């Protein structure tokens, strides 16, 4: 897909005419920019919105710049934009500012994600040029007051969404990803039932002239939205030729008739337009197809919330001290200075106020450093990278990078060391935790065998470091993030950790729990990770069998003497393992 930068002039020509006299230099425009992609214009106006290109009150752009092309799928792009919405809002800190936190910051971040490079420098640096002049600083209060006044009147900043043409329905996400499937042939019907063999399906036999059927349509559509992730909802019109053939197979003589299927077998049949009966039967069907796991009945307050936040290591160390740990020729490199400048601004003004560095340049620099610098000197570079990855704009780019070459380069370097320096291993673990600052990385880790293997190796080997509590704490945090992501993916029916990976990780963390004698923080992290790893696992699966064989319950309970204040011991050992994994 082509990625275009749409450039507008908020001054409508006044900047070009008057800037030299007022500011002492030529300013071609007060730039307002947006990204044109897939037939839509994405812009920040108090929030991230999408409109038909050129349809707002700003009119047509003064310039359309082709930035490049992206192969990223739209569902990934939309998920990335969702991760930015908490940053680019009216309520975000810092609030919208015409010169320092504006549409161009968003456009630059979006361009960097799509292409690995930002928007032209003369646009992104325009605010600094204006504010560097005495007249620009003098005019700042009046300009800010004007923007704030417009915000109060419009509910946004520039009123773009109010004046623009709304996108066509097929350009925006549907209100629900699940809907009723209208079937007209036996082959399609059989295919859908085959797909539902591991779950359940509901078939609604209707006809064009059936008035009672139409009374049930809203209820049936609502049920499809509510339970569509667990059941397949099919509608067959028996007044049509193909539908009549399907109806004959089930001896349907009247409509509405509903037939339910459980694990591939017909479960129930009834007729009549009874909304309450339809809802009750569907709810019962879904409960039978997906019976409640024993863990969901237990009182485990620290594990009942699958929406817990991942552990991130966003703290920026004193930059002067970190830079001093690099060779001088490395510290002076453009990429290092750009990254330092970004982190300095981020610490002062927050995420939205910091312009992200060029992603392609950053990627090349990290990869070159890992391959060319002595292992003892790489620590400071990885720590800088770790800080940057806590920003979802940056972690989102590296999640979608081809072959994950930059992050895998760091992970593989650490995993290849027989005696990895403590500092390098620690910041690499923390760096990997920051992968989870974006929702894009968990999906990539769970789907990509090589990336996942590198992370699992890092976790398992780090648990063996009995000399450094911080390493074991960070390894626990990384396993917690990974376990939590897999648990959420299971609920959403996405790719999860493979059973072999779960077994390897469980064996590592149970061994680490057994050996932990020093750090209450490390033990707490290990128990959180193990609990989320095992939560709602199959009672007949390899993971449950392993925990029974290892006597994980006894290992965890054995920590009570050394760590009597640790409340997770009983939740994990007695509730999740003893009670929750007991076979019926």
């Amino acid at each position: 897909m082509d990625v275009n930068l749409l450039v507008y002039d908020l001054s409508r020509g006044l900047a070009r005419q008057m800037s030299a006299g007022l500011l002492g230099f030529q300013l071609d425009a007060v730039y307002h920019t947006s990204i044109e992609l897939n037939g839509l214009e994405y812009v920040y106006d108090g929030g991230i919105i999408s409109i038909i290109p050129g349809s707002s009150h700003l009119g047509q752009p003064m310039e359309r710049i082709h930035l490049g092309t992206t192969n990223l799928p739209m569902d990934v792009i939309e998920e990335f934009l969702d991760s930015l919405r908490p940053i680019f809002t009216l309520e975000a800190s810092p609030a919208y500012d015409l010169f320092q936190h504006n549409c161009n910051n968003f456009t630059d971040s979006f361009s960097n994600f799509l292409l690995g490079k930002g928007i032209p420098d003369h646009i992104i640096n325009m605010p600094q040029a204006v504010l560097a002049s005495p007249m620009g600083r003098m005019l700042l209060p009046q300009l800010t007051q004007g923007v704030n006044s417009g915000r109060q009147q419009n509910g946004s900043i520039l009123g773009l969404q109010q004046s623009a043409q709304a996108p066509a329905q097929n350009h925006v996400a549907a209100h629900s990803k699940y809907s009723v499937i209208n079937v007209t042939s036996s082959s399609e019907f059989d295919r859908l039932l085959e797909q539902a063999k591991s779950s359940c399906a509901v078939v609604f036999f209707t006809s064009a002239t059936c008035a009672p059927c139409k009374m049930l349509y809203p209820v049936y559509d609502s049920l499809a939205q509510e339970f569509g992730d667990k059941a397949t909802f099919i509608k067959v019109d028996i007044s049509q030729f193909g539908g009549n053939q399907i109806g004959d197979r089930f001896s349907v003589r009247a409509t509405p008739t509903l037939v339910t299927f459980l694990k591939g077998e017909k479960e129930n049949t009834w007729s009549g337009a009874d909304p309450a009966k339809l809802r009750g039967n569907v709810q019962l069907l879904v409960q039978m197809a997906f019976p409640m796991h024993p863990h969901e009945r237990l009182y485990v307050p620290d594990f009942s919330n699958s929406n817990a936040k991942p552990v991130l290591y966003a703290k920026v160390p004193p930059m002067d001290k970190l830079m001093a740990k690099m060779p001088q020729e490395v510290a002076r490199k453009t990429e290092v200075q750009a990254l330092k400048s970004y982190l300095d601004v981020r610490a002062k003004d927050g995420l939205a106020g910091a312009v992200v560095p060029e992603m392609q340049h950053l990627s090349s620099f990290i990869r070159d450093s890992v391959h060319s610098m002595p292992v003892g000197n790489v620590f400071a570079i990885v720590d800088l990278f770790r800080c940057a990855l806590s920003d979802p704009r940056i972690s989102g780019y590296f999640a979608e990078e081809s072959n994950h070459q930059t992050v895998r380069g760091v992970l593989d370097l650490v995993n290849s060391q027989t005696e990895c320096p403590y500092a390098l291993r620690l910041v690499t673990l923390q760096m990997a935790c920051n992968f989870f600052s974006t929702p894009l990385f968990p999906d990539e880790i769970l789907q990509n065998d090589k990336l996942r293997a590198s992370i699992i190796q890092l976790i398992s080997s780090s648990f063996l470091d009995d000399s450094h509590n911080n390493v074991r704490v960070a390894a626990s945090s990384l396993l917690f993030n990974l376990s939590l992501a897999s648990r959420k993916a299971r609920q959403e029916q996405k790719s999860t950790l493979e059973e072999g990976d779960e077994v390897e990780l469980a064996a590592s963390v149970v061994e680490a729990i057994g050996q932990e004698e020093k750090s209450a923080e490390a033990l707490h992290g290990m128990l959180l990770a193990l609990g989320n790893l095992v939560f709602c696992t199959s009672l007949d699966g390899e993971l449950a069998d392993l925990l029974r064989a290892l006597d994980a319950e006894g290992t965890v309970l054995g920590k009570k003497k050394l760590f009597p204040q640790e409340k997770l011991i009983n939740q994990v050992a007695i509730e999740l393992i003893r009670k929750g994994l007991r076979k019926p």
Side-chain angles (χ1 to χ4, degrees):
M1 289 182 292
D2 286 332
V3 181
N4 295 314
L5 179 70
L6 305 187
V7 184
Y8 300 85
D9 177 14
L10 291 180
S11 76
R12 299 187 182 275
L14 289 177
R16 180 184 293 271
Q17 296 174 24
M18 304 176 65
S19 58
L22 286 174
L23 301 176
F25 65 92
Q26 181 65 39
L27 181 67
D28 290 336
V30 177
Y31 295 109
H32 166 85
T33 60
S34 57
I35 292 291
E36 183 183 34
L37 175 73
N38 195 35
L40 289 179
E41 181 177 353
Y42 292 89
V43 61
Y44 169 54
D45 183 31
I48 300 172
I49 62 174
S50 58
I51 60 177
I52 297 299
S55 67
S56 76
H57 64 78
L58 297 179
Q60 292 299 311
M62 61 179 284
E63 189 176 9
R64 177 181 273 102
I65 302 173
H66 183 254
L67 297 177
T69 59
T70 181
N71 295 319
L72 293 172
M74 281 307 301
D75 60 336
V76 169
I77 292 171
E78 291 291 349
E79 192 169 9
F80 172 77
L81 289 173
D82 285 342
S83 74
L84 297 194
R85 295 187 195 280
I87 300 175
F88 292 98
T89 67
L90 275 175
E91 294 76 23
S93 179
Y96 180 94
D97 184 282
L98 182 61
F99 288 99
Q100 295 179 333
H101 174 209
N102 54 39
C103 59
N104 300 327
N105 295 53
F106 161 73
T107 304
D108 185 76
S109 298
F110 195 17
S111 174
N112 247 308
F113 171 71
L114 295 171
L115 304 170
K117 62 179 183 180
I119 64 177
D121 288 344
H122 72 279
I123 296 176
I124 200 69
N125 293 330
M126 179 267 293
Q128 287 74 24
V130 173
L131 295 178
S133 69
M135 184 60 71
R137 290 193 295 271
M138 187 176 76
L139 292 174
L140 178 62
Q142 290 90 336
L143 292 170
T144 301
Q145 183 178 1
V147 169
N148 288 337
S149 174
R151 179 187 308 172
Q152 294 166 5
Q153 294 169 11
N154 295 327
S156 63
I157 306 300
L158 300 174
L160 299 182
Q161 193 163 31
Q162 291 90 334
S163 66
Q165 182 180 347
Q169 186 61 36
N170 61 352
H171 275 301
V172 295
H175 62 282
S176 172
K177 61 187 292 189
Y178 306 108
S179 59
V180 175
I181 304 170
N182 292 288
V183 173
T184 58
S185 69
S186 293
S187 59
E188 184 183 10
F189 182 82
D190 292 339
R191 179 182 61 82
L192 290 171
L193 286 188
E194 180 66 27
Q195 290 178 349
K197 271 193 171 181
S198 62
S199 55
C200 57
V202 187
V203 184
F204 186 158
F205 289 100
T206 182
S207 61
T209 58
C210 175
C213 295
K214 295 175 182 178
M215 294 172 53
L216 285 184
Y217 287 172
V219 179
Y220 197 60
D221 290 342
S222 175
L223 289 168
Q225 293 177 26
E226 184 177 352
F227 296 108
D229 59 334
K230 295 181 172 66
T232 301
F233 288 81
I234 301 169
K235 188 184 290 183
V236 179
D237 187 341
I238 65 170
S239 64
Q240 304 295 321
F241 175 71
N244 183 264
Q245 289 182 319
I246 300 171
D248 287 344
R249 289 166 53 180
F250 297 94
S251 302
V252 175
R253 297 292 178 262
T255 56
T257 292
L258 292 107
V259 181
T260 57
F261 294 82
L262 179 63
K263 307 292 185 182
E265 300 293 331
K266 189 168 78 168
E267 187 267 335
N268 192 10
T269 302
W270 74 96
S271 299
D274 186 340
K277 185 174 183 179
L278 171 59
R279 175 168 287 279
N281 284 349
V282 169
Q283 289 175 333
L284 180 61
L285 176 72
V286 171
Q287 289 173 7
M288 290 190 294
F290 298 92
M292 183 178 288
H293 193 283
H295 285 162
E296 296 175 298
R297 299 189 182 97
L298 299 174
Y299 180 67
V300 281
D302 289 279
F303 301 97
S304 58
N305 180 19
S306 63
N307 293 317
K309 301 294 183 183
V311 177
L312 303 180
Y313 290 88
K315 185 176 180 180
V316 178
M319 293 303 296
D320 291 340
K321 291 183 179 180
L322 188 61
M323 300 292 281
K325 294 177 182 177
M326 301 180 195
Q328 287 189 3
E329 64 274 13
V330 174
R332 286 194 294 264
K333 284 193 172 184
T334 303
E335 295 85 357
V336 175
Q337 290 300 314
L339 193 51
K340 177 182 181 298
S341 175
Y342 153 77
L343 291 171
D344 286 341
V345 174
R346 194 182 87 180
K348 178 186 174 192
D349 296 334
L351 288 178
V355 176
V356 297
E358 294 278 336
M359 294 294 101
Q360 289 179 339
H361 295 167
L362 177 59
S363 171
S364 297
F365 169 70
I366 298 295
R367 286 185 280 116
D368 291 346
S369 299
V370 167
H371 291 135
S372 62
M373 291 176 62
V375 173
N377 292 340
V378 175
F379 145 74
I381 301 298
V382 176
D383 202 25
L384 272 178
F385 191 34
R386 183 267 307 172
C387 295
L389 284 169
S390 64
D391 184 337
R393 297 174 295 177
I394 296 177
S395 57
Y397 172 81
F398 286 100
E400 299 301 323
E401 185 186 34
S402 177
N403 298 318
H404 308 104
Q405 52 187 336
T406 303
V407 298
R408 280 191 55 207
V410 178
L411 294 170
D412 292 346
L413 172 68
V414 172
N415 286 334
S416 66
Q417 303 299 308
T418 305
E419 295 290 337
C420 182
Y422 156 68
L424 177 59
R425 177 175 290 276
L426 178 62
V427 296
T428 301
L429 285 163
Q430 294 173 343
M431 175 200 77
C433 286
N434 288 351
F435 293 167
F436 295 83
S437 66
T438 174
L440 299 179
F441 242 128
D443 290 344
E444 290 296 315
I445 294 169
L446 294 172
Q447 294 172 17
N448 188 285
D449 293 341
K450 291 182 178 179
L451 178 59
R452 188 173 63 255
S454 295
I455 291 175
I456 291 174
Q457 182 181 350
L458 178 65
I459 293 171
S460 299
S461 59
S462 298
F463 276 142
L464 300 176
D465 186 345
D466 58 1
S467 300
H468 301 102
N469 294 347
N470 288 341
V471 166
R472 300 193 303 281
V473 170
S476 301
S477 299
L478 181 53
L479 178 54
F480 168 78
N481 289 355
L482 183 57
S483 301
L484 191 64
S486 182
R487 178 180 167 185
K488 290 180 180 178
R490 185 187 303 121
Q491 291 177 335
E492 298 169 3
Q493 296 187 314
K494 295 181 178 179
S495 297
T496 64
L497 281 170
E498 295 181 359
E499 202 164 33
D501 294 334
E502 290 182 328
V503 166
E504 180 179 350
L505 288 166
S508 295
V509 72
V510 169
E511 180 182 5
I513 289 170
Q515 295 177 350
E516 186 57 60
E517 297 180 348
K518 303 175 183 176
S519 171
E521 185 180 4
L523 178 68
H524 185 81
M526 293 171 189
L527 292 172
L528 274 177
L530 177 59
N532 278 282
L533 186 65
V534 73
F535 196 88
C536 286
T537 191
S538 170
L539 300 184
D540 298 316
E542 292 182 15
L543 177 57
D545 288 342
L546 173 81
L547 294 174
R548 297 184 192 106
L550 292 178
D551 187 22
E553 176 192 339
T555 299
V556 174
L557 287 175
K559 298 288 103 178
K560 272 191 170 183
K561 185 175 181 180
L562 280 175
F563 303 95
Q565 303 301 317
E566 180 51 71
K567 62 179 181 179
L568 293 184
I569 290 176
N570 283 345
Q571 288 186 49
V572 173
I574 297 176
E575 300 296 324
L576 292 179
I577 298 178
R578 181 192 300 176
K579 297 179 182 178
L581 297 185
R582 182 187 298 138
K583 287 188 175 182

